[in-house]
Amino acid sequence: MSALGDRLYALEEIVGAESLLTDTEAVASYRVDGEQPLAVALPESSEQVAALLREAAEGGLSVLMRGAGRHMHLGAPPTPIGLVVSMDRLRRVVEYDAENLTITAQAGMPLGTLQGVVGERAQMLPLDPRGGDGATLGGVVAANLAGPIRMRYGSPRDLVIGLRVALADGALIKAGGKTVKNVAGYDLSKLFVGSFGTLGAICEVTVRLTPKPESRAMLVLAMNSAEVKEVTGKLLRSRLEIASLDIANEAAVRRMRLSLPITLAPELRIVFVGLMGDRAAMVRQENEIRASSGGAFARLDGTQGGHAWLSLREAPHPNSVDEIVARAALPISYATETVDLVSQFDGWWSVARAGDGVVYAGPPREATTEMMVDRLAELREFAQRREGVVILEAASLEMKRGFSVWGDIPNLDLLRKLKDAYDPTGNLGCWRYLPRR
Amino acid sequence: MDKKVRRALEKAVGRQNVLTKPADLLLYSYDSSTAEGRPDAVVFPDSTEEVARIVKVCAERGLPFVARGAGTNLSGGSVPLRGGVVIVLSRMNRVLEIDVDDLRAVVQPGLVNLDLQNVLAPHGLQFCPDPASQKVSTVGGNVAENAGGPHCLKYGVTVNHVTGLTVVMPSGEVRSFGGKALDPPGYDLAGVLIGSEGTLGIVTEMVLRLSPLPDDAQTVLAIFDTLEAAGESVSRIIAEGMLPAALEIMDRQTIEAVEASFPSGLPLDVEAVLLIELDGLTESLARQAARCAEICRELKAREVAVGRTPEEREKLWSARRSAFGATARISPAMLVNDATVPRTKIPEVLREIQEIERRHGLRIAKIFHAGDGNLHSNILFERGNPEDFRRAEEATAEIFRACAEAGGTITGEHGVGAEKVKFMSLLYSADDIDAQRKLKSVFDPEGIANPGKVLPEPAEVGSE
């Protein structure tokens, strides 16, 4: 038997032959940026995940973690992939403590399923990342993804209170706990949230929940770009209970295929204000928001409002494997100017999460690679001059080779030391996050 | 202290900002806990550069250093267990920038939490973390401990409100993690540093996330004949989908202490007082407050009062605010702990604490943030009576064990410091602690940043 055969056999011993895919055709659908893994494992327990990681480290097989595969476009092109560990079969609720407003679930649980479970008790996990209801809890946490309501409820960094993580050496550790307040030791969960599986494999996640609001409303304002900064700034500093505040340009509204009771124009910006809370408090808030801008105003009814919310949530998601989506993160007051800058590019769409300073943007379908690289460089320079960054959220392989996905990563030397400490053989993540030395 | 080292420190911050006389050093050898340790020098830097210079002096000689804010630490976190240099940050108390447009403030670590709130209030803004010690504790201390406070259930803890840090690393080098913008690429270094109790470096500048002050607030106070009924009320309120900003319970011992020192008219023959603070939009508050009051009455509350104006609310809060001081007044010697359990486990753990109290013949005054399961059991003992102290320590260990078994933690907001290191293995396996040690070794390979805190030595793991 070949050396590779031996290594695969050892993996098979852990998960069983039927749960280790090695057939070229079977593994083809697990390709990332054109790179095909040697094998795909479908473990059924955290212990199996840990054993796979240990075995892979010993056999020198690089490992790429995977949830539902909704966000595999995010990251630099991988170095050759040895083993993909799919968390697809780890989708159980471990413990739902409704009264304590916490739930622990396995990493592969789809977010939609989880929302269904806690919804029965009139609770919700206040996270609405792009990628559909099928995106997994572990994947969303590993990428620290959040959506429009982040401004009110935070991102996984804020909502995760505990993790069970398999480390590269096969140790299965616990970080954090089950209580909101917990300062016993270092909060290692902060290190693993948003680390894209490059320091360990997240197997179980404990998150804070919140009561489902009694009522939701989606208000739409249209105004000239010059007014947006003042209007959104006032709303952000107001005492209203705004859950989401998104700014979209005309191209973005068209890309989202939203039909709004408002006439669009290139110089117009559409501001979406999401409210969540008590029914009793909605009327006053609506009136104040209507009064905050002199321009067009509309209140979307239940179905339309829900549709707009979903569209805004999914706005940053690429519609095809090659579509390019950039994400800028800046101090929040620059969100408006960033949308303005992108709107000057020919046909580019842009949606800003005004409360978080996160701005998504993408070129029209007909743009050439050369032109896109120029525009992205301009956007990155604009953000960097304002203490911000631009990353490539999704792009074709060609584009990723022409434009750095992550840009300059601050404190890279220190991050590398952390990487070395937790993953000494450099086995985890196929160098899609920190660049290889 | 070695003359050469003293001279190097004097050169770093100026002669007048270095203390080495025994009487001065004594003042910095304890904090609000029972831990003690004598420093070799105490220095008062005024800038990031000066902190960096001091730490370089330490790093070159392998000398330990401990950062200190207001010294309100309740776990011995600011005590120099192995001597070395105490770096007092009280001179670095400036608000460097209030950036209303970006909803951020940039401040130095020595700034007192309440002083910050007072600067922000005219802008209609606040920094959400408001630990009970906010009149004295510093924002740097809040960051080092990842402080909570009564409003965590709704607003989260310090780490949820900090977006950037400037840090002097244990090598003396200055770095910044994060800033005004969210999501810098790379691992969340600011996130792991917050709550690290000065063992990974010294934070010298912080970028804080600001939030609008709530529109309005109302307070409900209910008096109960049993602790269980008070606890049950809390559960019902949450089950109905309300999320109060604060839910506080005081037990009989605490009420007695308060009434003995700062009489507020609470009856002495009751077992529990529940305080509920609701904040948000005026329109929702009246209904929610009425519903909370109704729930308390359904659960046989003896008396229920609702405070609507700021004066009325302050009156209802006054007993709670003075509780810690009042308890300390009837018994200056007490062991304070802040074990935390999932809220559902509160009744079970309370019964156990009462049993521990009886078994050891001790008085334990209990105040708890019932919303987030944070139990402050203040164990009163006689100072100078070693037998009494030993029993108090035993009781502490038993409480920690009970909380850990209930799925909770040994500290919710006070930190591990020096006092709880030996209890870490109640929560963590040797592998868990080893994973935490990796973090420490990356930041502080020489082990000079606040040594002896947070993590047990490898040999101690598993031998509680």
Side-chain angles (χ1 to χ4, degrees):
Chain A
M1 210 186 268
S2 70
L4 176 63
D6 284 346
R7 283 183 280 167
L8 295 182
Y9 180 72
L11 299 174
E12 216 175 89
E13 289 278 275
I14 296 165
V15 290
E18 70 290 348
S19 299
L20 189 77
L21 316 178
T22 49
D23 182 81
T24 318
E25 229 168 282
V27 297
S29 57
Y30 291 86
R31 259 188 231 148
V32 171
D33 289 335
E35 195 66 48
Q36 180 150 324
L38 294 173
V40 177
L42 295 149
E44 283 177 354
S45 68
S46 305
E47 287 72 20
Q48 286 186 355
V49 176
L52 286 170
L53 260 49
R54 186 180 53 233
E55 197 54 51
E58 280 170 9
L61 273 181
S62 58
V63 174
L64 202 58
M65 298 303 300
R66 180 184 175 104
R70 297 294 168 97
H71 302 100
M72 297 308 285
H73 49 260
L74 183 43
T79 53
I81 308 167
L83 177 70
V84 165
V85 177
S86 162
M87 301 301 270
D88 196 50
R89 292 184 183 166
L90 283 144
R91 35 170 84 201
R92 268 188 317 112
V93 171
V94 178
E95 187 188 7
Y96 176 24
D97 192 348
E99 226 181 299
N100 198 39
L101 290 167
T102 61
I103 189 168
T104 305
Q106 291 183 315
M109 170 167 266
L111 230 46
T113 312
L114 188 139
Q115 298 289 19
V117 170
V118 302
E120 278 175 33
R121 300 289 298 268
Q123 298 181 348
M124 63 174 191
L125 170 62
L127 264 185
D128 57 351
R130 59 208 171 272
D133 290 342
T136 63
L137 179 62
V140 164
V141 167
N144 194 33
L145 297 176
I149 63 172
R150 176 183 187 175
M151 60 171 282
R152 162 100 71 98
Y153 295 103
S155 69
R157 173 186 192 257
D158 304 291
L159 295 165
V160 170
I161 55 176
L163 294 175
R164 198 160 182 231
V165 180
L167 298 183
D169 63 359
L172 202 51
I173 63 145
K174 147 183 144 166
K178 288 195 290 187
T179 55
V180 173
K181 275 189 192 173
N182 181 10
V183 293
Y186 301 128
D187 185 2
L188 287 187
S189 54
K190 294 286 177 294
L191 199 58
F192 295 107
V193 172
S195 68
F196 294 91
T198 60
L199 297 176
I202 295 171
C203 295
E204 282 176 21
V205 182
T206 305
V207 279
R208 284 159 61 186
L209 303 170
T210 193
K212 225 178 189 167
E214 186 183 54
S215 170
R216 293 174 82 144
M218 178 60 81
L219 313 176
V220 185
L221 306 168
M223 63 196 80
N224 260 319
S225 57
E227 299 166 64
V228 180
K229 188 169 185 167
E230 203 195 324
V231 172
T232 53
K234 257 191 215 157
L235 290 175
L236 288 171
R237 290 187 296 274
S238 78
R239 295 171 176 200
L240 303 178
E241 296 189 329
I242 296 171
S244 65
L245 188 63
D246 293 84
I247 306 166
N249 69 358
E250 187 195 15
V253 176
R254 295 198 193 285
R255 179 172 171 276
M256 290 188 280
R257 300 204 177 121
L258 273 178
S259 76
L260 297 172
I262 278 170
T263 318
L264 299 175
E267 71 283 0
L268 274 191
R269 299 285 177 268
I270 310 296
V271 177
F272 297 86
V273 190
L275 297 174
M276 280 182 171
D278 276 13
R279 203 163 286 131
M282 286 293 169
V283 179
R284 191 218 339 166
Q285 298 196 80
E286 201 181 311
N287 290 339
E288 280 189 30
I289 292 163
R290 183 196 293 265
S292 68
S293 144
F297 173 91
R299 178 188 206 284
L300 303 183
D301 68 24
T303 324
Q304 266 186 315
H307 179 60
W309 215 305
L310 270 183
S311 304
L312 289 166
R313 182 185 91 176
E314 295 301 330
H317 208 67
N319 291 325
S320 67
V321 283
D322 279 351
E323 201 187 4
I324 285 150
V325 179
R327 176 173 68 181
L330 307 96
I332 60 175
S333 65
Y334 294 117
T336 325
E337 282 134 87
T338 311
V339 175
D340 287 346
L341 174 76
V342 174
S343 302
Q344 288 163 22
F345 302 167
D346 270 347
W348 282 55
W349 64 268
S350 182
V351 172
R353 314 277 193 227
D356 301 316
V358 173
V359 185
Y360 297 98
R365 222 166 282 170
E366 63 275 12
T368 63
T369 303
E370 197 176 71
M371 193 184 284
M372 288 188 288
V373 171
D374 285 350
R375 296 306 198 195
L376 287 170
E378 191 178 344
L379 181 61
R380 182 168 273 168
E381 203 205 318
F382 174 90
Q384 281 170 347
R385 265 187 279 127
R386 292 163 180 80
E387 303 174 55
V389 296
V390 167
I391 67 155
L392 266 190
E393 180 80 22
S396 62
L397 186 57
E398 187 195 3
M399 191 64 183
K400 285 181 179 181
R401 287 192 176 130
F403 188 81
S404 160
V405 167
W406 300 107
D408 295 331
I409 300 178
N411 295 299
L412 189 58
D413 57 332
L414 188 60
L415 299 176
R416 280 190 161 133
K417 282 185 191 161
L418 281 167
K419 171 77 174 163
D420 288 344
Y422 289 90
D423 178 23
T425 58
N427 231 42
L428 301 177
C430 302
W431 304 101
R432 300 197 74 204
Y433 200 21
L434 305 186
R436 193 177 207 161
R437 246 176 283 235
Chain B
M1 157 158 277
D2 184 281
K3 253 190 208 149
K4 268 194 206 144
V5 183
R6 196 179 76 200
R7 253 183 240 129
L9 291 172
E10 285 173 354
K11 202 171 152 224
V13 290
R15 201 175 190 165
Q16 70 283 11
N17 293 313
V18 180
L19 302 178
T20 49
K21 283 189 193 130
D24 293 328
L25 299 179
L26 188 64
L27 289 175
Y28 291 88
S29 57
Y30 59 91
D31 58 15
S32 303
S33 70
T34 55
E36 281 176 43
R38 180 79 62 95
D40 298 309
V42 180
V43 294
F44 299 84
D46 192 36
S47 64
T48 299
E49 293 66 38
E50 288 190 359
V51 174
R53 268 184 244 148
I54 296 162
V55 172
K56 269 204 192 100
V57 171
C58 294
E60 278 158 15
R61 294 162 177 84
L63 201 61
F65 62 86
V66 182
R68 183 181 173 109
T72 57
N73 191 288
L74 288 164
S75 59
S78 35
V79 173
L81 292 181
R82 298 183 191 163
V85 179
V86 166
I87 303 175
V88 183
L89 298 163
S90 51
R91 289 175 68 212
M92 293 177 65
N93 63 350
R94 286 177 280 267
V95 174
L96 300 174
E97 188 187 356
I98 305 269
D99 180 351
V100 175
D101 288 339
D102 288 318
L103 291 172
R104 296 288 186 272
V106 184
V107 308
Q108 290 185 321
L111 177 67
V112 170
N113 181 297
L114 191 63
D115 292 343
L116 170 65
Q117 309 291 2
N118 290 336
V119 175
L120 296 174
H123 299 283
L125 297 172
Q126 63 172 331
F127 172 56
C128 285
D130 62 340
S133 58
Q134 69 173 171
K135 277 185 197 168
V136 263
S137 70
T138 61
V139 183
N142 300 161
V143 165
E145 302 297 318
N146 193 14
H151 293 98
C152 299
L153 175 65
K154 185 166 178 183
Y155 295 106
V157 293
T158 301
V159 70
N160 307 124
H161 302 277
V162 178
T163 60
L165 300 174
T166 301
V167 179
V168 174
M169 303 286 286
S171 60
E173 137 199 55
V174 180
R175 286 179 185 263
S176 61
F177 303 151
K180 287 182 182 174
L182 300 176
D183 306 336
Y187 307 133
D188 182 7
L189 297 173
V192 289
L193 214 105
I194 295 165
S196 65
E197 305 187 27
T199 62
L200 303 181
I202 300 183
V203 173
T204 57
E205 239 177 76
M206 292 157 285
V207 186
L208 312 176
R209 193 166 75 89
L210 307 178
S211 311
L213 284 163
D215 190 40
D216 200 357
Q218 290 200 11
T219 304
V220 180
L221 181 142
I223 297 172
F224 291 92
D225 287 322
T226 65
L227 265 173
E228 284 77 10
E232 178 61 23
S233 304
V234 170
S235 295
R236 287 252 207 113
I237 288 165
I238 304 268
E240 288 201 12
M242 287 184 272
L243 198 60
L247 283 160
E248 302 279 302
I249 294 179
M250 293 185 287
D251 77 338
R252 181 208 274 264
Q253 269 91 342
T254 306
I255 299 164
E256 279 173 4
V258 168
E259 290 305 310
S261 306
F262 312 100
S264 67
L266 289 173
L268 292 173
D269 60 339
V270 297
E271 288 298 328
V273 168
L274 167 64
L275 255 182
I276 306 159
E277 172 115 317
L278 296 150
D279 69 6
L281 295 163
T282 312
E283 289 86 344
S284 5
L285 287 181
R287 187 184 64 89
Q288 288 190 13
R291 186 59 200 136
C292 286
E294 209 173 288
I295 290 171
C296 293
R297 282 195 201 97
E298 280 165 17
L299 288 162
K300 307 258 170 352
R302 189 196 284 191
E303 242 178 84
V304 180
V306 180
R308 293 180 183 87
T309 66
E311 297 73 38
E312 285 171 5
R313 288 176 41 227
E314 190 44 45
K315 211 174 143 210
L316 297 180
W317 268 98
S318 67
R320 170 62 186 90
R321 284 199 213 284
S322 58
F324 191 76
T327 313
R329 203 166 137 176
I330 57 167
S331 173
M334 60 178 174
L335 279 183
V336 181
N337 75 66
D338 72 320
T340 304
V341 293
R343 186 176 38 246
T344 27
K345 302 286 187 184
I346 288 179
E348 174 187 324
V349 170
L350 269 181
R351 271 192 296 278
E352 246 179 281
I353 295 179
Q354 283 168 338
E355 178 51 36
I356 292 166
E357 210 174 344
R358 260 191 298 278
R359 200 160 54 232
H360 291 280
L362 288 164
R363 289 174 71 195
I364 303 182
K366 296 170 282 298
I367 314 175
F368 44 102
H369 307 305
D372 51 41
N374 194 187
L375 302 160
H376 293 288
S377 0
N378 301 320
I379 307 175
L380 315 183
F381 66 94
E382 206 182 308
R383 194 182 285 278
N385 179 341
E387 174 58 19
D388 216 33
F389 181 67
R390 189 187 57 76
R391 279 187 295 144
E393 278 205 311
E394 270 176 33
T396 304
E398 286 168 25
I399 291 172
F400 284 155
R401 211 164 288 134
C403 290
E405 272 165 25
T409 178
I410 56 173
T411 173
E413 55 189 1
H414 294 172
V416 174
E419 292 188 335
K420 300 186 199 91
V421 170
K422 57 179 180 286
F423 299 112
M424 284 284 278
S425 48
L426 286 177
L427 299 177
Y428 299 112
S429 71
D431 279 349
D432 298 342
I433 289 178
D434 189 51
Q436 296 190 32
R437 194 170 291 116
K438 286 187 173 129
L439 181 71
K440 168 79 172 172
S441 64
V442 167
F443 277 82
D444 180 25
E446 307 302 325
I448 57 170
N450 207 358
K453 311 291 170 65
V454 185
L455 293 182
E457 300 295 333
E460 290 166 10
V461 178
S463 65
E464 176 210 325

